[in-house]
Amino acid sequence: MLLAIDCGNTNTVFSIWDGTRFLCTLRTSTHHARTADAYFTWYSTLVKHYGIEVDITDVIISSTVPRVVFNLRVFADRFFGCRPMVVGKPDCALPVDPRVDPGTNVGPDRLVNTAGAFDRHGGDLIVVDFGTATTFDVVASDGAYVGGVIAPGVNLSLEALHQAAAALPHVDVTKPERVIGTNTVACMQSGVFWGYVGLVNGISERIRDEYGAPMQVIGTGGLAPLFAQGGLLFDVIEDDLTMHGLTVIHAHNKMKG
């Protein structure tokens, strides 16, 4: 029984994998000062609420926030008696090593998305992940991560606009009825929604031209379904791509012993 943990800049997600399916997925805000005991109190309360009886034997962690990894390691050791795999560490092997500039540290979230996408869709992919940042990951024909693009995240852009311009309110991300806004909120919503549709389309097109081969575009992250309404941005939307990628990397390491 595997507990897969994905810690991002905004949210941390726990998913329990029984070898064939995810039994449940739990989400909390990321906080670097949260202790191992606090993680377990939150986790055990929700598992009990859902009526799930599990005996966790393995833990795998992907974290873009280095400061939380120590307490997550303690959490796994203290409450499940296991040493967790941590994506990006030397003792956690990847199915295919990334091919990037020497000395480059690729974010573990991007490595996990690459593994999950290749397992489900093969190679020659662009994975667009709507997180705190909007990232584009290029997956080669053999499953290697070979580079990508990092752009500001949707909510981050909205928050920056609200903070930098005193007259502009905070608005929710939604698809506006019209491109031309007739009030401030509608103008901002149109700029963010259609701006990011253009960003995804434009960057994906340039990646395809540079890559020189047909490529599928895989969308993931909480806002992917919303932006899919803006046109044919994605060939597939995967809501659990990161968690699936963690199970793929875990299985690869188990197979290698």
Side-chain angles (χ1 to χ4, degrees), residues 42-112:
W42 166 79
Y43 163 84
S44 58
T45 300
L46 285 179
V47 167
K48 183 178 179 180
H49 170 76
Y50 287 116
I52 300 172
E53 294 185 8
V54 293
D55 182 15
I56 299 297
T57 58
D58 295 85
V59 177
I60 185 168
I61 300 167
S62 168
S63 178
T64 58
V65 186
R67 288 195 292 175
V68 306
V69 173
F70 175 78
N71 282 332
L72 287 172
R73 283 182 180 271
V74 174
F75 164 75
D77 178 66
R78 180 177 298 167
F79 297 105
F80 304 121
C82 68
R83 176 185 174 88
M85 298 180 190
V86 180
V87 178
K89 299 299 183 182
D91 57 350
C92 183
L94 299 172
V96 184
D97 289 332
R99 294 195 292 274
V100 293
D101 292 343
T104 300
N105 291 319
V106 181
D109 54 333
R110 310 184 80 175
L111 299 174
V112 171

Side-chain angles (χ1 to χ4, degrees), residues 17 32 37 43 45 59 77 104 112-113 119 128 130 132 139 144 148 165 167 180 183 195 205 212 218 233 238 241:
W17 174 255
H32 73 271
D37 291 351
Y43 163 84
T45 300
V59 177
D77 178 66
T104 300
V112 171
N113 282 348
D119 183 69
V128 184
F130 291 88
T132 303
V139 184
I180 302 173
N183 58 68
E205 182 179 350
I218 313 300
L233 293 183
E238 298 276 11
L241 184 65

Side-chain angles (χ1 to χ4, degrees), residues 154 200 222:
V154 178
V200 172

Side-chain angles (χ1 to χ4, degrees), residues 28 57 87 125 150 176 180 199-200 234:
T28 186
T57 58
V87 178
L125 306 174
I150 301 175
I180 302 173
L199 181 142
V200 172
F234 313 115

